[in-house]
Amino acid sequence: MPPDTTSESPGSDVTSTVFKDTELTLGLPGEARFSGGKTCSKRGFIERSMDLNLGDSSSSSSQTRGKILAGQDFSSESLVSGAGKPSAAKRQEVVGWPPVRSLRKRALEGCKYVKVAVDGAPYLRKVDLEIYNSYQELLRALEQMFMTCFAIRGNYVGEGGRKVMYPMKEMEYVPTYEDKDGDWMLVGDVPWKMFLESCKRIRLMKSSEAVGTLAPRTHPRSCTYEVAADQQLKAR
Amino acid sequence: MNYFPDEVLEHVFDFVASHRDRNAVSLVCRLWHRVERLSRQRVFVGNCYALSPEILIARFPGLKSLTLKGKPHFADFNLVPHDWGGYVQPWIEALSNSRIGLEELRLKRMVVSDESLELLSRSLANFKSLVLVSCEGFTTVGLAAIAANCRFLRELDLQENEIDDHSGHWLSCFPDSCTSLISLNFACLKGEINLAALERLVARSPNLRSLRLNRAVPLETLQNILMRAPQLVDLGTGSYIHDPDSETYNKLKHTILKCKSIRNLSGFLEVAPRCLPAIYPICLNLTSLNLSYAAGIHGSELVKLIRRCAKLQRLWILDCIGDKGLEVVASTCKELQELRVFPSDVLGVGHAAVTENGLVAISAGCPKLHSLLYFCQQMTNAALIVVAKNCPNFIRFRLCILEPTKPDPVTMQPLDDGFGAIVQSCKHLRRLSLSGLLTDRVFLYIGMYAEQLEMLSVAFAGDSDKGMLYVLNGCKKLRKLEIRDCPYGDKALLTDVGKYETMRSLWMSSCEVTLGGCKTLAKEMPRLNVEIINEHDQMEIGSEEQRVEKMYLYRTLVGPRKDAPEFVWTL
């Protein structure tokens, strides 16, 4: 239970006005506990330190490697005082925050190499996911890596619905990945940046294995499958 | 008191080990002071600018082990400019000119140059142990000097230092006659290492108990090393990557079975999770596991590993373990005393890595927990209240909610009540770090209940000067207070100036204190150094109203330091 201030002895340092200010009360969620004036001044601090970085990051957001969400993030509840800060500000780098030593930060940053396994290939490859900006780019790169042997089928096709198909070997592959929880997921369901975060390794699974678990494997030019994929692309 | 000859007193004092107790002993009377200081071998100096090397040497002629700390704690987070100070050179010079036979030097957040290391290695004949934590300014050239010249070196422990790597040959500088190594930690070195020299060194060090490798040491070398040093108690792997079907990996699996003494495990700076099963056999004996640099171990592999570590007392981990993983820790590690959960995504946009649920689970499952560092996505008052009830034995409680000023997401209230519950319940709390949305109320609670509190870290909290005053008035044992981005101004600073002489230091940055306020303080308290860090030429001399961006004050016997750079003004 939180400390009960009503049992304060009169001889304590706490004056009656202070006492009143700090009296525990039950309140509905969202009820302000303190005057707007005080809060405004406090916000000023955060704004001051955050503003220093706002300019930088907004201009470099496209280059920043998926670390800053432009729009709303999940925890965008406004501060008790009222108008919340713009969501982007919440995720800006405040100098020295979070309090982690530079050595540690640097050890965890940097490239995001993941292994790529292709069913039937004699060896695996590694790709740095951070150099790509979209699923399309990634799959194109993978396609090139393994192009001599395989055709990769994905939800994300090239420009104008071009299919990647090599008639000589009519093998199609479904791109899957292992996420942070160890589950095997279909590539393409989540936003690219979320994928970057959670992808630990990639496996290009033979279509035959994927039968029954994914959308029906019809003729490659099947409209429904590709249209659905295009719509997903457009919605982003 | 006068009936005993000095030798008897000295013998009794031998049993008084802690620095604090010995300091207390020295205050009893002149006789005790003299006997104590002549027999004192280990000295801890929490702030290298609080006294001078000469004072130290004069008082403790029998000094064998010295611990020195330099920069303020917030220097770890880039809040202190690079050349602020904290140089060890004057200390080493003074020691080398004296008759002191220093054997052990432990430095934290100090600037150590290659010349300092070289001087140390040449002038202290009996030097045995060098521990550097979060230091900078030296290179592998300095390490080579230590290796080459310290004939009786037992310990070289480099923890999280910024070291310029010029070559891996410093390891070859250990002479063949050096067989005394007990502990070697170079995990923070970024560059290549002479692997053959490393293996030979291990082979001729029969007393080696602790070895922490850097990223450049591959699995094959690890295998060879463990073959020669199965007696290791503390192991930090380097690069832990191999083909699990290879012969090397197979050999490793067998070699590890012989390493029955390993109790501390760390490293995995690069890791192939499929090679982890090799270490399963030693997991049950582990009391300390540090996977906070092992970004390559996640999810199910991490959990599989933890499930085998039933005897863990200390666990350092990344937040990718998740709340579910922490539940596994809670159900497996019943002996857990210290937990640190570091953020794996330090630039933001991470999704809920760990939340209050993980902490609640830990508190319920690990009753012996007394030290916590927890970086999390969010925290609730309700959770903190439960944690306080489950774990009344906290000595260190450091909570960092990644988003500054984030309230309780369920109630949208500040976290005053939650932290209030912690300080009320944990009567032995010595160190506390706050975060999240906080008003003055939390400081009222801290002042009221945190009687043993020695160190408090505050960021983006409070509404008015009252907050800081509650703490200064209430926490009688406060030694270090560090504050950033809070609305505390001159009134808070100046109400109880005498308090600062009872403390080691006070740091305030991005607060409301003014130049005038700091000047007033410096004038009233001549035995404090009140330093203003003036990075961007913001201050005009004479502009009393101007807010001071960074202020650091500390008590000292030796007045303003002479090595302060241009941007540091001692008022």
Side-chain angles (χ1 to χ4, degrees):
Chain A
M1 285 297 292
D4 183 5
T5 55
T6 53
S7 56
E8 270 293 342
S9 68
S12 73
D13 283 343
V14 180
T15 64
S16 55
T17 35
V18 170
F19 172 65
K20 191 156 201 301
D21 282 349
T22 60
E23 196 177 292
L24 291 177
T25 54
L26 287 177
L28 294 171
E31 243 175 49
R33 286 273 199 179
F34 35 82
S35 75
K38 283 189 210 157
T39 325
C40 287
S41 65
K42 183 155 68 79
R43 267 176 57 212
F45 293 98
I46 302 143
E47 266 167 3
R48 206 178 301 128
S49 29
M50 287 202 182
D51 279 349
L52 292 171
N53 297 296
L54 254 180
D56 285 344
S57 48
S58 56
S59 57
S60 61
S61 58
S62 52
Q63 293 123 359
T64 315
R65 285 160 167 198
K67 302 290 186 202
I68 298 172
L69 273 175
Q72 286 287 83
D73 60 48
F74 292 102
S75 53
S76 55
E77 302 94 350
S78 41
L79 295 180
V80 179
S81 58
K85 309 202 54 49
S87 314
K90 287 199 169 107
R91 292 305 190 184
Q92 296 315 316
E93 267 185 77
V94 176
V95 173
W97 194 268
V100 174
R101 282 184 185 152
S102 319
L103 208 75
R104 209 176 260 290
K105 277 194 195 177
R106 261 181 276 130
L108 298 173
E109 277 175 11
C111 47
K112 170 118 180 152
Y113 273 95
V114 297
K115 285 188 184 168
V116 182
V118 178
D119 287 355
Y123 47 79
L124 279 63
R125 298 297 300 269
K126 265 205 159 166
V127 291
D128 181 355
L129 290 184
E130 297 218 316
I131 68 183
Y132 307 111
N133 292 315
S134 68
Y135 286 116
Q136 278 175 310
E137 283 184 26
L138 172 64
L139 289 170
R140 221 177 290 144
L142 291 181
E143 176 194 334
Q144 283 190 319
M145 256 188 191
F146 292 98
M147 74 189 295
T148 49
C149 312
F150 306 112
I152 302 166
R153 167 149 191 160
N155 288 342
Y156 296 90
V157 300
E159 298 82 12
R162 173 179 68 82
K163 272 309 295 137
V164 177
M165 263 297 260
Y166 292 88
M168 297 82 73
K169 291 220 169 177
E170 297 249 344
M171 306 234 279
E172 286 186 17
Y173 286 78
V174 175
T176 63
Y177 71 100
E178 183 182 5
D179 74 358
K180 274 183 175 167
D181 300 320
D183 298 316
W184 285 94
M185 320 283 294
L186 179 67
V187 166
D189 285 338
V190 299
W192 172 251
K193 281 164 186 169
M194 207 191 283
F195 168 75
L196 263 193
E197 267 276 294
S198 50
C199 173
K200 295 308 144 207
R201 57 194 307 173
I202 294 175
R203 176 183 165 202
L204 301 179
M205 192 189 283
K206 263 193 241 184
S207 292
S208 49
E209 266 199 52
V211 161
T213 56
L214 299 171
R217 292 251 153 267
T218 55
H219 188 276
R221 295 213 184 332
S222 154
C223 292
T224 33
Y225 197 39
E226 281 164 51
V227 163
D230 279 342
Q231 278 174 349
Q232 262 191 305
L233 266 178
K234 282 186 192 117
R236 204 138 284 118
Chain B
M1 313 266 196
N2 289 342
Y3 345 125
F4 298 124
D6 289 0
E7 299 80 49
V8 174
L9 269 182
E10 195 181 305
H11 184 64
V12 171
F13 292 167
D14 274 347
F15 293 98
V16 180
S18 90
H19 295 294
R20 266 179 229 198
D21 290 342
R22 288 206 70 124
N23 290 345
V25 156
S26 71
L27 293 174
V28 168
C29 62
R30 274 189 218 266
L31 172 64
W32 282 37
H33 188 272
R34 180 167 53 82
V35 174
E36 196 283 319
R37 76 174 185 88
L38 292 175
S39 62
R40 177 97 77 123
Q41 294 188 338
R42 315 181 65 88
V43 175
F44 170 86
V45 176
N47 175 4
C48 66
Y49 289 120
L51 65 158
S52 71
E54 289 72 31
I55 292 178
L56 181 79
I57 290 169
R59 180 168 169 190
F60 301 113
L63 186 64
K64 293 244 182 316
S65 162
L66 175 62
T67 303
L68 277 175
K69 292 192 182 181
K71 300 187 197 183
H73 177 231
F74 276 172
D76 277 347
F77 317 129
N78 298 333
L79 287 179
V80 176
H82 185 59
D83 300 325
W84 174 87
Y87 305 102
V88 77
Q89 178 70 5
W91 294 86
I92 297 187
E93 274 172 8
L95 286 164
S96 67
N97 289 335
S98 74
R99 294 221 206 114
I100 301 241
L102 195 74
E103 295 181 8
E104 178 180 274
L105 186 61
R106 310 169 75 94
L107 304 177
K108 188 167 186 181
R109 278 191 288 273
M110 293 199 73
V111 177
V112 181
S113 64
D114 285 341
E115 295 108 271
S116 301
L117 291 177
E118 210 146 343
L119 180 59
L120 172 78
S121 72
R122 285 188 199 287
S123 56
L124 298 175
N126 229 14
F127 193 70
K128 297 193 170 79
S129 167
L130 182 64
V131 179
L132 303 177
V133 179
S134 205
C135 296
E136 50 160 0
F138 61 107
T139 76
T140 45
V141 169
L143 295 180
I146 297 285
N149 303 327
C150 300
R151 289 166 47 212
F152 304 113
L153 195 69
R154 289 198 204 145
E155 179 175 24
L156 179 59
D157 186 356
L158 308 169
Q159 296 177 32
E160 303 199 323
N161 302 290
E162 299 275 4
I163 307 175
D164 268 333
D165 232 302
H166 292 171
S167 85
H169 290 296
W170 63 277
L171 260 180
S172 327
C173 293
F174 282 104
D176 289 340
S177 54
C178 175
T179 58
S180 46
L181 266 185
I182 298 180
S183 166
L184 178 62
N185 171 8
F186 57 92
C188 61
L189 274 176
K190 292 168 267 198
E192 296 305 311
I193 278 292
N194 185 332
L195 299 175
L198 174 62
E199 288 188 35
R200 284 195 304 269
L201 181 62
V202 171
R204 65 176 184 277
S205 304
N207 297 320
L208 196 65
R209 291 283 170 276
S210 168
L211 180 64
R212 298 192 190 180
L213 311 168
N214 78 341
R215 210 179 201 124
V217 181
L219 199 116
E220 292 91 350
T221 310
L222 175 66
Q223 208 285 118
N224 294 340
I225 286 174
L226 290 179
M227 280 271 290
R228 297 187 195 274
Q231 77 282 3
L232 281 178
V233 172
D234 177 337
L235 172 67
T237 69
S239 169
Y240 194 80
I241 294 187
H242 221 276
D243 176 0
D245 296 322
S246 67
E247 196 190 320
T248 305
Y249 179 71
N250 236 340
K251 278 198 234 166
L252 181 69
K253 279 204 289 192
H254 287 109
T255 306
I256 288 195
L257 288 173
K258 298 199 195 99
C259 302
K260 297 189 198 292
S261 303
I262 297 183
R263 297 285 172 272
N264 292 7
L265 187 60
S266 62
F268 302 98
L269 309 168
E270 283 179 345
V271 51
R274 285 171 65 209
C275 292
L276 286 175
I279 61 167
Y280 289 169
I282 55 173
C283 287
L284 183 55
N285 292 329
L286 291 180
T287 54
S288 166
L289 179 61
N290 181 355
L291 295 177
S292 63
Y293 283 97
I297 311 181
H298 310 279
S300 53
E301 294 125 2
L302 190 50
V303 167
K304 263 194 267 176
L305 194 58
I306 302 257
R307 277 200 205 280
R308 294 164 181 268
C309 301
K311 294 205 192 132
L312 273 190
Q313 294 172 16
R314 173 162 50 171
L315 176 63
W316 290 22
I317 199 121
L318 289 170
D319 63 1
C320 46
I321 192 174
D323 285 339
K324 291 280 175 237
L326 288 176
E327 285 170 28
V328 174
V329 174
S331 61
T332 310
C333 308
K334 295 304 183 187
E335 302 295 313
L336 198 66
Q337 296 174 22
E338 176 182 332
L339 175 67
R340 295 196 190 192
V341 181
F342 291 95
S344 48
D345 175 23
V346 282
L347 292 178
V349 286
H351 300 287
V354 293
T355 69
E356 70 275 15
N357 296 322
L359 186 59
V360 168
I362 291 283
S363 72
C366 308
K368 297 190 184 179
L369 194 66
H370 60 58
S371 290
L372 179 76
L373 172 61
Y374 196 74
F375 287 83
C376 59
Q377 195 70 13
Q378 62 184 46
M379 185 52 58
T380 64
N381 282 310
L384 283 174
I385 290 168
V386 169
V387 168
K389 186 155 148 266
N390 289 341
C391 290
N393 297 321
F394 274 118
I395 300 176
R396 293 170 208 98
F397 190 86
R398 297 156 68 186
L399 187 70
C400 181
I401 301 167
L402 289 167
E403 190 185 311
T405 72
K406 185 166 178 165
D408 177 330
V410 171
T411 64
M412 297 311 291
Q413 295 303 313
L415 291 172
D416 303 332
D417 290 344
F419 281 105
I422 294 283
V423 292
Q424 194 188 17
S425 164
C426 303
K427 308 212 188 298
H428 304 287
L429 195 68
R430 297 209 296 253
R431 182 170 180 180
L432 178 64
S433 300
L434 306 172
S435 58
L437 185 65
L438 296 165
T439 73
D440 285 345
R441 217 153 49 93
V442 72
F443 299 105
L444 173 68
Y445 297 148
I446 291 173
M448 268 167 60
Y449 295 108
E451 292 175 7
Q452 302 299 318
L453 195 66
E454 296 176 6
M455 181 171 178
L456 179 64
S457 307
V458 184
F460 306 104
D463 310 310
S464 73
D465 289 329
K466 282 190 231 167
M468 185 167 159
L469 286 172
Y470 291 144
V471 171
L472 291 176
N473 289 339
C475 299
K476 301 298 178 202
K477 298 211 176 165
L478 195 65
R479 293 191 297 119
K480 289 183 279 182
L481 180 56
E482 46 185 25
I483 302 173
R484 62 165 293 181
D485 294 274
C486 296
Y488 307 135
D490 294 339
K491 175 155 174 255
L493 185 67
L494 296 173
T495 296
D496 182 6
V497 294
K499 174 79 176 173
Y500 306 126
E501 272 193 7
T502 69
M503 291 167 54
R504 184 188 298 172
S505 64
L506 168 67
W507 167 280
M508 292 181 74
S509 59
S510 305
C511 296
E512 293 288 296
V513 293
T514 68
L515 182 57
C518 294
K519 281 187 181 172
T520 306
L521 176 58
K523 196 151 163 238
E524 282 188 41
M525 301 294 295
R527 288 194 298 195
L528 298 178
N529 278 353
V530 179
E531 294 186 9
I532 309 289
I533 295 174
N534 174 29
E535 273 175 290
H536 306 294
D537 277 331
Q538 304 152 332
M539 325 230 50
E540 293 145 19
I541 307 173
S543 154
E544 308 283 298
E545 298 304 304
Q546 179 124 31
R547 261 181 64 248
V548 160
E549 191 51 40
K550 292 177 184 174
M551 180 204 73
Y552 180 55
L553 67 84
Y554 52 90
R555 65 182 177 192
T556 177
L557 296 175
V558 291
R561 56 188 175 108
K562 300 182 185 58
D563 63 2
E566 268 185 9
F567 54 81
V568 172
W569 300 349
T570 307
L571 299 177

